[in-house]
Amino acid sequence: MAFDVAELFQKRHGENFTLHNEYLNPQLARVLKTLGFDRFYVRGEGCYLYDDKGERYLDFLAGFGVYALGRSHPAVKKALHDAIDLDLPNMVQLDCALLPGVLAEQLVGRAHEGLRRVYFCNSGTEATEAAIKFARRATGRPRVLFCDHAFHGLTTGSLALNGGKEFKEGFGPLLPGASEIPFGDAAALERELAAGDVAAFVVEPIQGKGVNVADDAYWQSVQALCRKHGALFVSDEVQVGMGRTGKFFAHEHYGIQPDIVTLSKALSGGFIPVGAVLCTDKVYMSVYSSLERAMVHSTTFGRNQLAMVAGLATLDVFDEEKIVERARQTGEAFDAALAALVERYEMLHAIRGKGLIIGLVFGKPESRGLRMRWNALEAMRTALFSQMVVVPLFHRHRILTQVAADNMNVIKLLPPLIAGQEEVDYFVGALDDVLHDAHHGSGLFREFGTTMAKSALRRGGQKPVMAPA
Ligand SMILES: Cc1ncc(COP(=O)(O)O)c(C=O)c1O
């Protein structure tokens, strides 16, 4: 009998955690069980996930930023069904297919005038790897600069540019010539660039880890300094590109023109993995500089037809549904509603980010009683408070969020860009409820303690969850 996925879901219902435990990553299964995040999700639509019990979850992780259009967008689904039914000649390899050309044209058409060419791959980390190689080849220089708290992927090249020690441990030696500098510190950048051996400065316009934002003046300096010292400026927009910040490219907020821009997550339409590197003609032609070098950098599944269709359909929806403008407006609605909670709750110190990448920044309260409670929690484990908020948001209110980084009391929200006032109101109401409990009485502490008490993690003294992206 032919393979039937619906039937498989019925037959193997509820075996998901056992199978992961047995054949995949048992630690992930363990962490999720510990936090009580172990569910059997059966459907995703728009901003929501549904489990086998019929419960609905508001998904403010959005697959770490993949679901800009929400899940199962009908226009992307239709385009993919159509593409399959057309029996498109896929991955001929010794061919220049139409669809990659059209998608590249579309991306270049949205970018600043210096970005003329596109390289397609399958993921964010592959886009980073390509950017590193392209920059080295274009400049003939070895070094690459990155920032503390940076996240550019987890393959060995991009891992060398990771600002989190916890990801690197045990995987070295990594790419030589990668140097870390503080995010937002133009003087530190200049000190490194002055050596004259830097190929590129790779940086996220808003850092995913911690939702860190730098001011306009910093970005102006970054561009000027890179140009002055002959290094390429690489804007990693894998997470914050494609409308998330309220502009199509996040760097547009600062009026700057990076030499290389990487994209991935949202371009997939939530269906087919894809990565894209946009760069100048000069950079690109330095890589593919002769007939012999025509395939010097490539990957088997890059430019595959389904990924191209998903990308084209996604961009079409962006235009049809004015996704970028909606993200900007919904971001403003979040800012206004969350600002009121900052006023009300001592432990919520600030809201940062742009558009629909939102950081809820928690910190030590002023009043004595609350400070004691805060200190007790932080003594158990650094930045435990943010985890203590994430857990009841999920259990009480069925909202999926994440801590923004290890050892940081920041929660990161990445709502789908199709989220609207209904989702803003629901989330803010839920956060209000959880923060109210955190500030009055000890219910929340007890609730969290009960969840964690069930945990083997706590006994092992390990961190409750590693924030991957
Ligand atoms: C800014 C940034 N760059 C690169 C990556 C790596 O992308 P991928 O997980 O597709 O390799 C991520 C992933 O979260 C990211 O947020």
Side-chain angles (χ1 to χ4, degrees):
M1 225 177 67
F3 172 73
D4 182 336
V5 67
E7 191 182 274
L8 178 79
F9 257 78
Q10 274 179 2
K11 265 194 182 154
R12 308 293 300 268
H13 175 266
E15 287 184 49
N16 48 332
F17 274 80
T18 318
L19 287 167
H20 277 254
N21 210 18
E22 186 78 18
Y23 300 112
L24 290 110
N25 178 353
Q27 302 301 352
L28 177 65
R30 194 169 154 213
V31 166
L32 295 175
K33 274 185 179 253
T34 300
L35 296 174
F37 277 39
D38 47 333
R39 293 292 182 277
F40 190 66
Y41 295 109
V42 292
R43 196 162 70 82
E45 193 182 333
C47 297
Y48 298 93
L49 284 162
Y50 299 82
D51 71 11
D52 58 338
K53 311 264 183 320
E55 292 287 356
R56 190 176 88 154
Y57 299 80
L58 178 57
D59 178 13
F60 275 8
L61 273 184
F64 295 143
V66 166
Y67 293 100
L69 302 183
R71 289 170 191 267
S72 313
H73 194 287
V76 185
K77 270 168 68 172
K78 177 172 185 322
L80 289 169
H81 282 298
D82 289 350
I84 289 172
D85 290 342
L86 282 170
D87 294 331
L88 294 179
N90 202 2
M91 292 180 282
V92 177
Q93 307 299 6
L94 295 181
D95 182 33
C96 286
L98 177 68
L99 297 182
V102 181
L103 182 57
E105 180 185 56
Q106 286 264 337
L107 290 172
V108 164
R110 289 161 198 260
H112 74 73
E113 60 193 14
L115 298 175
R116 306 296 310 152
R117 292 192 181 266
V118 182
Y119 167 76
F120 286 115
C121 50
N122 307 289
S123 65
T125 196
E126 271 186 62
T128 306
E129 299 289 345
I132 295 170
K133 283 177 74 178
F134 284 22
R136 280 180 157 184
R137 171 73 180 175
T139 61
R141 296 172 172 189
R143 287 181 65 215
V144 183
L145 306 180
F146 66 96
C147 289
D148 54 354
H149 306 297
F151 191 95
H152 302 293
L154 294 178
T155 50
T156 50
S158 53
L159 184 60
L161 312 186
N162 198 304
K165 317 273 170 291
E166 67 278 14
F167 285 106
K168 292 178 165 172
E169 217 175 286
F171 295 119
L174 299 172
L175 196 70
S179 311
E180 180 176 312
I181 53 177
F183 181 69
D185 185 341
L189 175 64
E190 177 145 41
R191 272 195 300 279
E192 294 294 334
L193 289 173
D197 59 354
V198 174
F201 175 41
V202 181
V203 62
E204 300 148 86
I206 295 177
Q207 290 191 312
K209 291 269 174 213
V211 194
N212 302 317
V213 183
D215 60 20
D216 287 18
Y218 171 70
W219 293 109
Q220 297 297 328
S221 302
V222 165
Q223 174 161 298
L225 289 169
C226 285
R227 289 197 177 150
K228 179 176 161 197
H229 293 281
L232 299 180
F233 170 17
V234 181
S235 182
D236 178 344
E237 308 212 8
V238 164
Q239 186 156 82
V240 295
M242 293 196 60
R244 179 149 300 278
T245 63
K247 301 255 188 210
F248 188 81
F249 292 104
H251 68 262
E252 290 172 38
H253 285 284
Y254 307 113
I256 48 176
Q257 302 198 327
D259 304 290
I260 299 179
V261 175
T262 56
L263 295 176
S264 178
K265 299 179 190 271
L267 191 59
S268 69
F271 285 96
I272 316 288
V274 67
V277 180
L278 282 70
C279 66
T280 63
D281 211 45
K282 193 170 163 203
V283 167
Y284 206 91
M285 297 317 286
S286 76
V287 177
Y288 302 100
S289 54
S290 65
L291 287 180
E292 290 72 29
R293 292 178 63 85
M295 294 174 89
V296 72
H297 187 74
S298 70
T299 173
T300 303
F301 291 99
R303 293 182 285 136
N304 78 78
Q305 301 275 33
L306 287 185
M308 301 299 103
V309 169
L312 284 165
T314 298
L315 291 180
D316 190 64
V317 174
F318 264 68
D319 293 340
E320 286 292 312
E321 298 186 13
K322 300 191 172 28
I323 294 292
V324 180
E325 178 55 17
R326 275 168 66 181
R328 192 186 61 75
Q329 284 173 2
T330 307
E332 281 173 8
F334 265 114
D335 282 350
L338 291 168
L341 298 192
V342 174
E343 289 299 308
R344 202 155 352 123
Y345 295 113
E346 287 181 48
M347 297 193 223
L348 181 59
H349 280 198
I351 307 300
R352 65 188 182 215
K354 267 189 202 304
L356 291 179
I357 175 164
I358 301 166
L360 311 176
V361 185
F362 300 103
K364 209 175 217 179
E366 290 280 306
S367 49
R368 200 163 161 270
L370 283 181
R371 226 173 32 237
M372 277 167 62
R373 208 183 281 183
W374 173 274
N375 289 341
L377 201 63
E378 290 298 294
M380 278 171 71
R381 196 175 291 134
T382 315
L384 196 55
F385 184 80
S386 52
Q387 195 68 62
M388 201 179 76
V389 174
V390 163
V391 169
L393 278 176
F394 184 78
H395 287 284
R396 288 190 198 178
H397 299 284
R398 311 246 179 273
I399 301 174
L400 201 52
T401 58
Q402 63 176 319
V403 292
D406 281 345
N407 300 322
M408 221 186 252
N409 259 320
V410 180
I411 289 177
K412 178 161 74 167
L413 309 181
L414 289 175
L417 307 189
I418 56 160
Q421 196 60 48
E422 185 185 334
E423 284 75 28
V424 174
D425 292 343
Y426 184 74
F427 177 79
V428 174
L431 184 65
D432 193 358
D433 169 63
V434 171
L435 290 182
H436 180 272
D437 272 16
H439 288 71
H440 307 96
S442 54
L444 190 67
F445 290 79
R446 252 200 318 275
E447 186 177 318
F448 185 69
T450 313
T451 310
M452 297 303 284
K454 292 180 195 150
S455 129
L457 281 185
R458 192 178 176 197
R459 286 196 299 275
Q462 295 175 22
K463 291 190 182 109
V465 73
M466 194 161 173

